[in-house]
């Protein structure tokens, strides 16, 4: 099973993976929107950094679930 196939299967069958996936994409869109804001203020930069840390957390959780799944199905 390829990595992409595993991701699709997890999106269909694993609620926790799907939650982290959707949250990651939601945060990604928020970061993109805020980064286009001009002029950039210090408060806005801090908010972007906070969102990026949260986005990274969800990505790390997806990677953990994916790696565990791939190890169990190899």
């Amino acid at each position: 099973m390829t990595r992409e196939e595993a991701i699709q299967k997890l999106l269909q069958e694993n609620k926790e993976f799907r939650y982290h996936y959707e949250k990651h994409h939601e945060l990604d869109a928020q970061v993109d929107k805020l980064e286009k804001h001009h002029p950039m203020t210090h408060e806005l930069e801090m908010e972007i950094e906070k969102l990026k840390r949260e986005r990274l957390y969800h990505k790390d959780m997806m990677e953990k679930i994916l790696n565990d799944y791939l190890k169990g199905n190899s």
Side-chain angles (χ1 to χ4, degrees):
M1 174 177 292
T2 68
R3 181 176 171 85
E4 291 76 24
E5 290 170 338
I7 290 170
Q8 291 305 313
K9 191 147 183 82
L10 284 167
L11 283 171
Q12 293 171 7
E13 299 175 0
N14 186 304
K15 289 180 184 179
E16 183 182 3
F17 184 85
R18 187 170 47 250
Y19 167 77
H20 291 298
Y21 181 88
E22 290 170 355
K23 195 69 176 166
H24 179 271
H25 285 281
E26 176 186 315
L27 291 165
D28 202 32
Q30 288 178 355
V31 168
D32 285 347
K33 182 179 177 184
L34 290 176
E35 286 182 333
K36 293 176 184 170
H37 192 273
H38 294 287
M40 184 65 66
T41 64
H42 178 69
E43 290 79 16
L44 194 53
E45 287 177 358
M46 298 304 289
E47 179 67 17
I48 290 169
E49 289 306 311
K50 178 180 153 268
L51 293 172
K52 284 181 176 181
R53 283 192 299 275
E54 188 178 347
R55 180 179 65 182
L56 183 58
Y57 165 78
H58 290 288
K59 183 177 181 181
D60 289 346
M61 294 305 292
M62 286 189 305
E63 282 298 318
K64 181 187 180 319
I65 295 167
L66 179 60
N67 288 333
D68 290 348
Y69 180 81
L70 288 171
K71 285 178 190 172
N73 289 293
S74 57

